[in-house]
C-alpha cells in the first residue's frame, strides 16, 4: 500500500519543501567534494533544504531504504544503495564506500546520516571518518531547525517541519581528517560539533515550538 502511495507522498513532500521560508541559504554550488554530516532524525529537514542540487546520499538496502531512496530521488538527490558499515557485505558496505569515494574524488558532494540507518541516535559511527580519510574530504556538520514542526516518537526522534514554517540551516566547524588521525577522536569531535549546533538550549536560544504527535 505504501509503495502504491509513494508517488503521491513524494509530491506532497516536494510541495511541503516549497512552502518553507528559509531564513538563510547555503550556497551548495561553492562546494566540491564535501561530506555533509547530519543526524538521521534531521534528514528530512536537510533534504528539503538541499532539493534539486544533485547531492549524493547513501541509503541502506532494506525495505525502509527502498522508500527513502524513492523519496530522495524525487527530491533531486542521487542515491547510492549500501551502508557506511565497512566490510559488511550483506549491507553493501564495501561497494557503498567505494562508490562514495569515487563520487567525492570526482567533485561530488555527499550527505550521510552519521547515526543511521538504525542508531543509536546521536552517536556518530566510524564510517564517515573512514570516508573522509580515504578522500581527504572536509566534513561539514549540518542541522536544519524550524519554528514549527512535529517530532515523532521514533528511535531517531524524526523532525517533520510543518507547512509555511520558517527554517534555517546551521553549518558547524569544518572537520578535516588526516591519515594519521585517531578515528575515535575524530568521531568524538564530529559528534560534539553536531550536538553543539543541534542543541538550542546549549546555544542559549529559545526552544522552538514543538507540535507533538
Amino acid at each position: 500500500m505504501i509503495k502504491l502511495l509513494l508517488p503521491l507522498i513524494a509530491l506532497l513532500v516536494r510541495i511541503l519543501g516549497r512552502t518553507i521560508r528559509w531564513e538563510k541559504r547555503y550556497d551548495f554550488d561553492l562546494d566540491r567534494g564535501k561530506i555533509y554530516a547530519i543526524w538521521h532524525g534531521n534528514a528530512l529537514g536537510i533534504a528539503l533544504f538541499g532539493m534539486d542540487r544533485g547531492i549524493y546520499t547513501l541509503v541502506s538496502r532494506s525495505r525502509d531504504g527502498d522508500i527513502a531512496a524513492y523519496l530522495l530521488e524525487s527530491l533531486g538527490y542521487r542515491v547510492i544503495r549500501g551502508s557506511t558499515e565497512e566490510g559488511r557485505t550483506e549491507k553493501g558496505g564495501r561497494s557503498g564506500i567505494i562508490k562514495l569515494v569515487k563520487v567525492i574524488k570526482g567533485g561530488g558532494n555527499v550527505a550521510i546520516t552519521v547515526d543511521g540507518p538504525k542508531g543509536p541516535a546521536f552517536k556518530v559511527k566510524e564510517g564517515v571518518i573512514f570516508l573522509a580519510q580515504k578522500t581527504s574530504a572536509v566534513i561539514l556538520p549540518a542541522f536544519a531547525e524550524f519554528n514549527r514542526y512535529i517530532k515523532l516518537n521514533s528511535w531517531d526522534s524524526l523532525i517533520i517541519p510543518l507547512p509555511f514554517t520558517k527554517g534555517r540551516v546551521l553549518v558547524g566547524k569544518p572537520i578535516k581528517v588526516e591519515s594519521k588521525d585517531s578515528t575515535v577522536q575524530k568521531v568524538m569531535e564530529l559528534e560534539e560539533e553536531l550536538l553543539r549546533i543541534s542543541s538550542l538550549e546549549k546555544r542559549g536560544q529559545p526552544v522552538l515550538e514543538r507540535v507533538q504527535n
Side-chain angles (χ1 to χ4, degrees):
M1 180 63 70
I2 292 178
K3 288 186 176 180
L4 290 174
L5 292 175
L6 272 179
L8 175 60
I9 295 172
L11 176 61
L12 292 176
V13 171
R14 175 171 280 278
I15 292 173
L16 169 63
R18 294 303 183 194
T19 70
I20 296 174
R21 296 169 292 161
W22 296 103
E23 291 187 1
K24 293 182 180 179
R25 275 288 175 188
Y26 185 83
D27 194 349
F28 290 99
D29 295 331
L30 296 179
D31 285 342
R32 285 186 60 80
K34 295 294 193 302
I35 301 172
Y36 306 118
I38 60 179
W39 294 131
H40 196 277
N42 197 233
L44 177 58
I46 291 291
L48 294 177
F49 182 81
M51 288 194 302
D52 299 321
R53 297 286 183 166
I55 298 171
Y56 288 81
T57 186
L58 193 66
V59 176
S60 65
R61 294 178 177 178
S62 65
R63 290 181 181 178
D64 289 345
D66 291 343
I67 296 172
Y70 185 96
L71 293 176
L72 286 167
E73 287 176 342
S74 73
L75 293 176
Y77 286 81
R78 299 176 182 178
V79 174
I80 294 175
R81 302 304 297 270
S83 169
T84 53
E85 297 180 35
E86 174 64 13
R88 295 191 62 179
T89 306
E90 76 280 5
K91 297 290 187 179
R94 189 171 298 278
S95 63
I97 289 290
I98 290 173
K99 290 176 182 177
L100 288 179
V101 168
K102 290 181 179 179
V103 165
I104 292 171
K105 288 187 174 181
N109 299 314
V110 172
I112 294 180
T113 52
V114 294
D115 55 347
K118 294 184 178 180
F122 312 118
K123 299 296 294 184
V124 173
K125 295 183 178 179
E126 295 182 356
V128 64
I129 304 300
F130 176 84
L131 183 61
Q133 281 181 320
K134 289 294 184 183
T135 59
S136 300
V138 171
I139 301 173
L140 295 176
F143 183 79
E145 62 182 23
F146 305 94
N147 284 49
R148 300 181 67 247
Y149 59 92
I150 294 172
K151 185 176 182 181
L152 299 186
N153 187 27
S154 56
W155 72 264
D156 59 352
S157 300
L158 178 66
I159 291 174
I160 302 176
L162 294 178
F164 303 102
T165 184
K166 288 184 178 180
R168 51 212 150 260
V169 167
L170 307 173
V171 178
K173 180 187 69 176
I175 294 175
K176 183 76 173 178
V177 184
E178 305 289 346
S179 59
K180 65 179 184 300
D181 289 336
S182 164
T183 300
V184 173
Q185 289 181 353
K186 285 297 177 178
V187 164
M188 292 177 59
E189 182 180 347
L190 175 56
E191 192 171 292
E192 289 173 359
E193 185 63 8
L194 270 170
L195 288 171
R196 183 185 71 83
I197 65 173
S198 61
S199 174
L200 300 176
E201 292 85 353
K202 288 184 179 178
R203 292 205 315 276
Q205 297 184 14
V207 178
L208 301 183
E209 178 183 353
R210 297 182 184 180
V211 181
Q212 298 291 348
N213 62 313

